[in-house]
Each structure stands twice: as structure tokens, then as C-alpha cells.
Amino acid sequence: MQSATKPIDSRTEQEMHSCEACSSSRLRQLANLNGARIIKCLNCNLVYLDGRDPKPQADYYDEVLLDDYIKYYKDHRTDIFSKHLRIIEKYSAKGKILDIGCSFGWFLDLAQKAGWVGFGLENSQKAIGYAREKYGLSVSPGGIESVKNFDTDFQVITLWNVLEHIPNPLRNLEMINEKLSSDGLLVISVPNIEGLITKLAFLSYRLSGGKFKFALSRLYQIENENPHLYHFSLKTITSILNKSGY
């Protein structure tokens, strides 16, 4: 059986975006998901999605039933956020905290109740309205690029499952770094390319000769307007953070 993992030919390579982390054009195609190609940089090992740029959308939460969504996710995510906050407080004194992509404000609400001064950035007007009205949170409209609009530094900045959706993580992390205090802490959660489920998804794709795409398509959220553009390993996320000044 011919391997589904193959080097990119010279014609296709010219059509590819070079590696965001190291600008290399030494690339290998790991999978083709109906035109959205998962690419590995052979220089730094970053794995990214090529052929699907995020599309502007009015509001992600316009497509969901809000009450059902909150009922399904809130308790589970609040439990996770509580654990995250306890870890953060082991490494940082309380102060100003910014949650980028704060959604409905569940993490920020926990932080404020624990004595932090919370701020949020969020693209969804529906989520912003909920966070302000339900919890009285200070949430501003905008994505990572809006961090420059704050006239203060932060003790902690968090990105919970946000960075994988951003086309230029290196540049955006540099902007975030400018808003961290000198002893500030950046806290992120991202998909792990070396996780067991991801490895099984790639294995099923390869063993089927590229025919079984369902698992990888779900992991990369191919059907969404804003899919996962990156899945990181500890090595690649560390490299990007170092290049961003952390």
C-alpha cells in the first residue's frame, strides 16, 4: 500500500504557506481532508492545517441553542477551570488577569470570586452580553489583536483553547507578551499532536490509504467556520513561545 504520508511535490509546495514557526518550505503532507491539508514542517516539526483560512462570522453562538449549550458545558468546564485556577495560584500572586476568548465568562467569574481583578476579550456579542449581565464581568469585544487596546499590564493572561484557531500564533504571542507584567504568567491550553486519540486518528487515516477521514476531520473541526489550524507538541509550542520572547 502506498503511504498516505508523502512529501509535497514542487508544484504543490509553491502553493503552500511556509511554516509559521521557522519559515521553512521543507514540508510533508500528513493528510488531505477534502482540500484541507495537514502539513508537517520537516525543519521544526510544527503540524498545521493548510488550505483553510478562518472565515469571518457574525457570531458562533448564533448557531447554537444558548440554554442547551450552557446546560451541557457549564458544569464540566467550570470544574476544569477551577482546577486550572488552583494551579495558577501556585505560581502567581493575585492581580489583574485577562482571559482572551473568554466565552461566557465562566473562568473569569471563578477568578474574580477568588480575589482576582478580571478582564476578558471575546468576539461573540451574545457571549459578551451573557458574561456582563450574568456575572458583571468586564468583557470587551475583540480577539487577540485587541490586547493592545488595554492601557494596563496583567499579572496573568490566559488562552483556553484559542491559540489553535489563530493564523499567526507567533505574532499574536508577541503582542500578548507586551501586556504581561515583568513577572507575569501566560497560561494556555492547546490540542496535543502527541496525544493518544490524535495518534489513533492519524493511524486510521494511513491504514485506510487516506479513505477514513472522519476522526481527523473531527479533531481539526474541518466543518467549522474556524477550524483548528495548529496542533502542538511540547517541543513545538515551546519553540514558538521562546521565539515570541517568553
Side-chain angles (χ1 to χ4, degrees):
M1 178 186 299
Q2 184 177 358
S3 173
T5 302
K6 57 184 179 181
I8 300 170
D9 62 41
S10 58
R11 176 186 59 81
T12 307
E13 184 174 319
Q14 293 174 358
E15 300 169 357
M16 290 289 179
H17 298 102
S18 59
C19 177
E20 167 66 21
C22 69
S23 301
S24 175
S25 58
R26 295 181 57 241
L27 312 172
R28 182 178 295 272
Q29 179 173 296
L30 301 182
N32 189 322
L33 306 176
N34 300 322
R37 294 165 290 191
I38 300 176
I39 305 300
K40 180 176 182 178
C41 174
L42 299 180
N43 185 55
C44 73
N45 296 317
L46 181 67
V47 176
Y48 62 94
L49 189 70
D50 198 86
R52 274 293 308 274
D53 291 327
K55 299 177 182 178
Q57 55 184 356
D59 194 321
Y60 169 79
Y61 295 109
D62 281 343
E63 302 177 3
V64 302
L65 296 173
L66 197 59
D67 290 342
D68 290 345
Y69 183 93
I70 291 172
K71 182 178 179 180
Y72 184 81
Y73 285 109
K74 182 177 182 294
D75 290 345
H76 173 64
R77 292 188 178 175
T78 299
D79 182 58
I80 292 174
F81 286 147
S82 296
K83 296 174 182 176
H84 288 340
L85 185 60
R86 288 196 294 270
I87 294 172
I88 289 172
E89 291 179 347
K90 292 181 180 180
Y91 296 95
S92 175
K94 293 178 182 178
K96 294 179 181 178
I97 187 168
L98 172 65
D99 187 18
I100 299 176
C102 66
S103 185
F104 295 105
W106 297 328
F107 173 75
L108 275 182
D109 180 53
L110 290 171
Q112 286 211 153
K113 288 177 178 177
W116 294 80
V117 180
F119 299 83
L121 280 174
E122 173 56 46
N123 282 319
S124 166
Q125 288 296 330
K126 185 175 287 188
I128 291 172
Y130 181 93
R132 289 173 176 174
E133 295 170 14
K134 180 72 173 178
Y135 304 118
L137 297 172
S138 176
V139 179
S140 302
I144 289 181
E145 69 284 351
S146 299
V147 72
K148 63 180 182 293
N149 297 331
F150 288 97
D151 58 1
T152 185
D153 291 339
F154 297 94
Q155 187 66 27
V156 174
I157 297 179
T158 57
L159 297 117
W160 306 119
N161 299 108
V162 171
L163 195 62
E164 64 269 23
H165 296 280
I166 305 302
N168 300 292
L170 190 66
R171 186 176 66 197
N172 283 287
L173 285 169
E174 289 173 346
M175 285 193 294
I176 292 171
N177 197 14
E178 294 177 0
K179 288 299 179 179
L180 275 175
S181 60
S182 58
D183 61 343
L185 190 67
L186 173 67
V187 184
I188 59 177
S189 63
V190 291
N192 179 11
I193 192 68
E194 296 179 338
L196 177 60
I197 293 176
T198 302
K199 288 182 177 180
L200 290 174
F202 275 108
L203 179 63
S204 65
Y205 178 89
R206 290 196 299 271
L207 292 178
S208 69
K211 294 180 180 179
F212 185 76
K213 304 176 182 181
F214 177 77
L216 281 176
S217 294
R218 288 294 299 271
L219 283 175
Y220 279 83
Q221 300 183 5
I222 296 299
E223 300 303 320
N224 289 357
E225 291 290 328
N226 287 280
H228 286 187
L229 301 179
Y230 298 91
H231 281 195
F232 301 92
S233 66
L234 180 59
K235 179 181 178 180
T236 56
I237 192 63
T238 299
S239 174
I240 287 177
L241 287 168
N242 288 339
K243 289 180 180 179
S244 304
Y246 295 89

